[in-house]
Amino acid sequence: MEDHNRLDPSHQQSTENLARAIYVVNRHAKTAPNPKFLYALKKKALLKLVHEGKAVKKGLHFSNNPKFSKQQSDVLVSAGEYYFHMPPTKDDFDKLPHLGSLNKTYRNPKAHMSLTKAKILLQGYVGMKEEKAQSFQSKKTRTYEKPVFKRLGESYR
């Protein structure tokens, strides 16, 4: 069984391990408190994999959830045994074939990796750091005020 406290540097940045980490991050992003960071991490990692030749842009798919009910396409990227979608660039429309609608029968293989481990792996790969969100207590600007009790009929102002 893998040690969850340490990342094995020999297997750390293999294409398959990075693809597995992207899959885990993408799966958790849908319900995460900070999804923007996770989606940005996924996009940056995929772009770097494509740039290094470890992943391939296969084509364009119609998006299942288009913005503002307009038809929209996503780029299908293959990395290892996994397939991912990401927003297209203008060049993608010129260079990539359109594959039509998404094949709903295909599923990515299951990945057994914690979100923390996946984030550490991808952050190290792309050199991106997560900004820690301020806690609810530190966002408050007001200090505690004692409640004021008035007699029945008196104004609170």
Side-chain angles (χ1 to χ4, degrees):
M1 198 76 192
E2 291 181 44
D3 182 9
H4 291 283
N5 297 328
R6 298 180 197 266
L7 290 171
D8 183 8
S10 62
H11 300 297
Q12 186 173 347
Q13 294 193 351
S14 69
T15 304
E16 198 58 43
N17 216 18
L18 289 168
R20 190 175 299 117
I22 293 169
Y23 173 80
V24 169
V25 164
N26 189 45
R27 188 181 61 202
H28 282 83
K30 293 163 179 51
T31 58
N34 186 8
K36 281 187 177 184
F37 171 73
L38 294 179
Y39 283 125
L41 188 62
K42 170 195 167 187
K43 183 178 178 182
K44 213 168 185 184
L46 282 174
L47 289 174
K48 187 170 181 181
L49 283 170
V50 168
H51 181 72
E52 292 175 349
K54 295 178 181 178
V56 179
K57 290 183 179 181
K58 295 285 189 180
L60 296 162
H61 267 157
F62 288 123
S63 179
N64 281 345
N65 302 312
K67 289 182 185 175
F68 309 118
S69 299
K70 293 183 180 177
Q71 194 169 342
Q72 182 178 336
S73 294
D74 295 323
V75 176
L76 179 68
V77 180
S78 170
E81 295 181 345
Y82 294 87
Y83 287 93
F84 304 100
H85 285 104
M86 59 187 263
T89 62
K90 288 187 180 186
D91 287 345
D92 292 334
F93 285 104
D94 296 334
K95 295 179 181 176
L96 297 174
H98 208 290
L99 305 172
S101 295
L102 178 67
N103 179 1
K104 294 182 180 175
T105 60
Y106 178 80
R107 292 276 183 216
N108 279 327
K110 295 287 182 204
H112 301 287
M113 182 185 287
S114 71
L115 176 61
T116 305
K117 186 175 178 182
K119 281 170 50 176
I120 291 169
L121 179 63
L122 292 178
Q123 284 175 335
Y125 180 63
V126 299
M128 192 172 165
K129 297 287 180 212
E130 183 175 12
E131 299 290 325
K132 293 291 179 192
Q134 291 180 342
S135 67
F136 180 72
Q137 289 291 346
S138 63
K139 285 183 182 177
K140 283 186 176 180
T141 54
R142 287 212 255 156
T143 57
Y144 177 74
E145 293 180 21
K146 242 178 157 176
V148 179
F149 296 101
K150 301 278 185 174
R151 291 190 190 142
L152 190 61
E154 287 184 15
S155 174
Y156 285 102
R157 295 180 190 170

